[in-house]
Amino acid sequence: MILNCENVSLSYDGRTVASDINFTVNAGDYLCILGENGSGKTTLINAILGLKKVAGGKLSYGEGVRAQNIGYLPQKQSSNADFPACVREIVRTGFLGKRGFRPYYSKEERERAENVMKTLGISDFAKKSMDELSGGQQKRVLLARALCSAEKLLILDEPTAALDPIVTEELYEMTKKLNHEEKIAVIMVSHDVAAATKYANRILHIKHEQLFFGSTEDYLETELAKAYLGGHGIDH
Amino acid sequence: MITEFFEYLQMDFALRALVVGVLLAVCASLLGVCLVPKRYSMIGDGLSHVGFGALAVASALGAAPLAVALPVVIIASFLLLRLRENGKIKGDSAIAMISAGALAVGVMIVSLSGSNTDLDGYMFGSLLSVTKADFVTAVVLFPIVIAVFAIFYTQIFAVSHDENFARATGMKANFYNTLLSVLVAVTIVIGMRLMGTLLISALIIFPSISAMRVCRSYFSTIITAVALSVISFLCGMVMSFAISTPIGASIVICNMICFFAMCLLGATVKKKRI
């Protein structure tokens, strides 16, 4: 078990945005959290990441899962565009949670960062700053950083927002590969129901309360999924 | 003229000014690289005014100046660096309010207590009249600031670059923010006695903003900022000696020249930054 969420309720500015959320993420799972804007998805992610306290219920990590081995891909980077930082420096910060108070990086970590950058095809930009990159390249930098910290769990918050269809597809494929080959559990927030049902094996659909949690197959049978997919279904 | 300058350095006060000034130039530029990219440029200015207020209170009470000013400025620094999270009052207006308020309190106390605090010295610094005690404080504390920064520089970078990610991956973001507040406060409180309330922020802002014209990485920005800061200080000191101008203003002028030079250089290497 990676993560367990029991009767969790969440509030934002004193308002309850979601309540009675129950789900479990097991090793190797690929969970997609679906819901419209303002349905409490990002608040839920922030609670899972420990950036926000839950208003009620219990959220617990499985054995051996700690913040230090979770990877996180935020919707957008939180610093200013002109922040002086090159790609390599940004990617390496993924290791810092694990390093604690030890200064700098070990040789092994520096090598791993180079490998991750190579895998994601951003080695050529290692010395560039973020504002010299396209939106898709920036996403890959943030994904590389997330992979440096992800050992057990990778959390992606609307990773494809503002990406063009080709880059979106690439990102989905990369995530699938990580989930399959590296056995990293994935939690992805999305409102792309078609992609979610194509890649994830578990679906959590929320709209202030839990509408559905279970396997993707079961989800596809629900009226909810049919409504969202516009009755067209999806091809596998 | 060069030989004359070296003869000038034979004098205690000039040598002390040189040592303390170089250390301050290094510390101020290091912290500038932490503050400027986060849009916290005016924090140096605000804190030096708080420091001025605190020093005025200390001298009116007959207390040791640094013992009062340091804790007060550390607290103010901590609060100002935390401002953006609360967001009720915007960061820039809060800094301006605290800055003007502390300055007013300081001036009121100085005038009411009738103490003969040298207002001019606090405003514009007195690098050439550094006392033995100030010299010792600076020579002890500035190297500590530099060392702490050097040890935790990757962590400080990560927390200032993306605090949410740092927290989410288990970094002790609060610890590093507090550490940064303390480093900023120490540098400003000691620095304002040397450079003056009005000029200390220039020393923090100019080197990093100049370095950001041409550098892409954080590391190169730090190195460039420190180099520019030290060069500007040395040129400013020589200038002040050669044409008898106030030393603080001379240093700021040199920093401005550096800034324009870096803008030109940045434009030629096609960096599209403002």
Side-chain angles (χ1 to χ4, degrees), chain A residues 197-211:
Chain A
T197 48
K198 183 175 168 196
Y199 292 102
N201 70 335
R202 301 252 146 202
I203 301 284
L204 172 69
H205 196 136
I206 56 176
K207 190 180 180 182
H208 306 304
E209 54 178 14
Q210 188 163 322
L211 301 181

Side-chain angles (χ1 to χ4, degrees), chain A residues 51 67-68 70 72 77-80 82 84-85 89 93 96-97 100-104 127 129 131-132 145, chain B residues 37 39 150-152 154-155 157-158 160-162 165 167 169-171 175-176 212 216-219 221 272-273:
Chain A
L51 297 175
Q68 282 82 352
I70 292 177
Y72 168 48
Q77 65 165 351
S78 61
S79 61
N80 297 305
D82 67 351
E89 287 176 316
T93 60
L96 283 174
F101 292 117
R102 286 175 298 161
Y104 315 117
K127 286 184 175 166
S129 67
D131 61 347
E132 295 173 287
R145 178 182 68 170
Chain B
R39 305 282 189 269
I151 292 170
F152 290 122
T154 43
Q155 280 92 341
F157 162 69
S160 33
H161 178 254
D162 192 340
F165 179 82
R167 278 180 198 281
T169 52
M171 281 186 70
F175 171 80
Y176 295 108
M212 281 163 66
R216 290 184 167 88
S217 72
Y218 198 67
F219 185 73
T221 306
K272 46 175 195 306
R273 283 181 178 165

Side-chain angles (χ1 to χ4, degrees), chain A residues 1-6 8 23 58-63 65:
Chain A
M1 194 266 283
I2 298 277
L3 176 74
N4 189 33
C5 201
E6 235 180 288
V8 163
F23 67 91
K58 205 174 133 215
L59 218 164
S60 51
Y61 289 150
E63 205 177 310
V65 183

Side-chain angles (χ1 to χ4, degrees), chain B residues 174-236:
Chain B
N174 285 337
F175 171 80
Y176 295 108
N177 281 324
T178 312
L179 187 69
L180 188 61
S181 312
V182 173
L183 296 183
V184 170
V186 168
T187 307
I188 285 172
V189 168
I190 305 172
M192 62 170 284
R193 309 255 292 178
L194 312 168
M195 277 294 283
T197 304
L198 293 177
L199 300 180
I200 184 75
S201 54
L203 226 56
I204 292 182
I205 298 168
F206 270 112
S208 56
I209 204 104
S210 306
M212 281 163 66
R213 277 338 72 189
V214 291
C215 300
R216 290 184 167 88
S217 72
Y218 198 67
F219 185 73
S220 61
T221 306
I222 289 174
I223 300 296
T224 313
V226 169
L228 289 175
S229 184
V230 172
I231 292 169
S232 301
F233 170 78
L234 294 175
C235 293

Side-chain angles (χ1 to χ4, degrees), chain B residues 4 43 49 73 78 110 114 132 134 140 148 160 171 177 214 218 225 232 240 251 253 271:
Chain B
E4 279 168 31
I43 276 187
H49 289 151
V73 177
F78 183 75
V110 168
K132 263 247 160 70
D134 280 342
V140 172
V148 170
S160 33
M171 281 186 70
N177 281 324
V214 291
Y218 198 67
S232 301
S240 127
I251 295 168
I253 296 288
K271 283 276 294 175

Side-chain angles (χ1 to χ4, degrees), chain A residues 31-91:
Chain A
L31 170 74
C32 218
I33 302 177
L34 293 170
E36 289 154 42
N37 288 336
S39 59
K41 290 174 303 189
T42 295
T43 312
L44 176 59
I45 287 297
N46 286 340
I48 293 173
L49 290 168
L51 297 175
K52 202 177 167 3
K53 284 198 171 73
V54 294
K58 205 174 133 215
L59 218 164
S60 51
Y61 289 150
E63 205 177 310
V65 183
R66 296 174 307 141
Q68 282 82 352
N69 48 38
I70 292 177
Y72 168 48
L73 178 71
Q75 273 187 47
K76 52 178 193 279
Q77 65 165 351
S78 61
S79 61
N80 297 305
D82 67 351
F83 198 104
C86 72
V87 167
R88 179 176 283 129
E89 287 176 316
I90 294 170
V91 171

